[in-house]
Each structure stands twice: as C-alpha cells, then as structure tokens.
C-alpha cells in the first residue's frame, strides 16, 4: 500500500480502489509485478493530494487498517512544510512526529505489517524553495529517526533528488521543486524498488 499526498496520488481515480495514479507508485508497482509475477502481489494507492500527516491520521482506519496490507509505504511531509509558507499554517515538528508515530504504532499493533518510510523532499526551484529547508529538514530527520525506531525500510528521496539535481537542473526533475516530472517519478520508482526489493 502506498500512502501520502499529491506526489503519491497523481490523478488516481478515487472511485476505483485499484487505480494507481500516474506517478512513482504506479511505476514501481508495474515494474515489480512484471519482474515478479509469481508473487501475485496486489498494490493499492491511497495518496490524497494536499494531505498532511494529520490528514493521514484522520483517515487511517478506512484507508489503511481496513485494507489489511502486508506492507505500508508512507511519503508525507511536504504539505506540512508548504502550508507554513503558503497559508501561514505550520505543522510544528513535535506534532509531525507525534502524528507520524501514531500511524506506525497502529500499523504495528493491529497489522504487524512491514513499513517503508520515504523522505519528503524539496528542490531549489523556484529559488524561494531554498527557504523551506529550515522547516523540512527537521521533518526529514523525524522520518529517519522513526525508520530506525520501527525497523522500517528508509527510501532517501531527499538525498536522491539532491544527487540528481547535481546532474541536471532541478526543473528537469520537478516542475515546482515538489511535484515530480515523469523523469522524477521514474527516478523515485527506481529508488523505491532498490530500497525495498532485497
């Protein structure tokens, strides 16, 4: 199961529970399924555009626990940062950690599922995105800390995109520093699979 915000959502059809959207979740699921058809894995995408970690908490029962996934992949945090700058509606890092921890504790307690935690990320395009680092970096550290604490797979998307942006301008990877282009989503899918498939 893929959970998150618009970066995971990418136009999925909410009326079709099997629709995977058009981004990294779909790409990773398709490549995994083509490589390992014998595993007969079913993938779900429950990302919703605009969500913050508190929104995941509010819908965790129907959109995660009720589906009883064996693996839960979470990418959340950029809206917790973005809305500080766009709407003067910040998410304090302590609240971010508390809500995120709740999600993981409930999954562990009720499902015993494996966890995949993905770093939120931002690239310095447009230039004002550089200011976001002061808010986002502590949240990335929370994700890393929780990955260690809950023995989760960590997908280091922030580092992946920083490295990629050293090879080609950030605009190639994300149109606004946040939402990946098709190349950005393909990069995410490849790194997600590299981290998860061992």
């Amino acid at each position: 199961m893929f959970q998150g915000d618009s970066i995971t959502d990418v136009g999925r059809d909410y009326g079709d529970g099997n629709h995977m959207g058009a981004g990294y979740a779909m790409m990773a699921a398709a490549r995994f399924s083509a490589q390992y058809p014998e595993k007969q894995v079913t993938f779900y995408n429950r990302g919703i555009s605009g969500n913050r970690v508190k929104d995941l908490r509010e819908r965790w029962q129907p959109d995660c626990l009720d589906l009883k996934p064996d693996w839960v992949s979470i990418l959340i945090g950029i809206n917790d940062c973005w809305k500080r700058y766009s709407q003067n509606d910040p998410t304090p890092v302590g609240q971010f950690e508390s809500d995120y921890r709740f999600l993981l504790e409930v999954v562990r307690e009720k499902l015993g599922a494996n966890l995949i935690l993905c770093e939120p990320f931002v690239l310095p395009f447009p230039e004002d995105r550089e200011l976001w680092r002061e808010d986002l970096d502590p949240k990335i550290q929370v994700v890393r800390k929780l990955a260690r604490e809950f023995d989760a797979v960590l997908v280091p998307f922030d580092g992946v995109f920083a490295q990629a942006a050293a090879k080609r301008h950030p605009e190639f990877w994300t149109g606004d520093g946040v939402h990946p282009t098709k190349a950005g989503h393909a990069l995410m899918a490849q790194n997600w699979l590299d981290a998860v498939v061992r």
Side-chain angles (χ1 to χ4, degrees):
M1 161 172 291
F2 292 92
Q3 268 289 1
D5 50 37
S6 58
I7 301 169
T8 302
D9 182 337
V10 198
R12 71 178 181 88
D13 178 357
Y14 297 169
D16 178 356
N18 294 312
H19 198 268
M20 291 298 295
Y24 81 94
M26 179 276 293
M27 294 178 184
R31 288 190 58 184
F32 183 95
S33 297
Q35 257 185 293
Y36 306 102
E38 72 282 358
K39 294 185 183 293
Q40 300 182 45
V41 173
T42 299
F43 288 90
Y44 295 104
N45 182 349
R46 291 297 183 270
I48 295 182
S49 183
N51 268 195
R52 290 188 272 184
V53 70
K54 68 177 184 178
D55 300 305
L56 263 60
R57 180 169 181 159
E58 288 174 4
R59 63 184 180 85
W60 207 235
Q61 186 67 46
D63 283 351
C64 180
L65 304 180
D66 288 352
L67 294 168
K68 297 181 169 57
D70 298 306
W71 287 81
V72 178
S73 177
I74 303 172
L75 171 57
I76 200 71
I78 191 59
N79 289 316
D80 295 88
C81 168
W82 194 333
K83 291 185 180 182
R84 167 182 173 180
Y85 300 96
S86 66
Q87 299 176 19
N88 193 27
D89 184 12
T91 302
V93 68
Q95 188 63 51
F96 179 80
E97 180 172 349
S98 175
D99 284 338
Y100 209 135
R101 183 182 300 279
F102 171 84
L103 304 179
L104 305 182
E105 287 176 344
V106 172
V107 166
R108 174 188 277 173
E109 176 188 336
K110 297 193 174 181
L111 299 178
N114 297 289
L115 294 164
I116 303 160
L117 306 190
C118 304
E119 292 179 356
F121 57 87
V122 67
L123 284 174
F125 175 82
E127 288 184 6
D128 70 339
R129 300 298 191 250
E130 291 189 36
L131 298 173
W132 294 14
R133 300 296 332 183
E134 65 175 342
D135 188 276
L136 188 63
D137 284 349
K139 293 179 171 72
I140 292 172
Q141 292 302 320
V142 166
V143 174
R144 293 173 180 172
K145 171 185 172 183
L146 292 173
R148 292 191 299 269
E149 185 176 328
F150 285 83
D151 194 27
V153 174
L154 178 68
V155 186
F157 282 146
D158 192 60
V160 165
F161 274 109
Q163 187 176 38
K167 297 178 181 176
R168 191 157 178 182
H169 190 272
E171 189 176 0
F172 177 75
W173 303 108
T174 70
D176 58 2
V178 172
H179 296 96
T181 60
K182 294 225 181 294
H185 276 291
L187 181 70
M188 292 177 69
Q190 182 59 59
N191 280 273
W192 189 92
L193 287 166
D194 287 347
V196 173
V197 180
R198 297 287 180 183

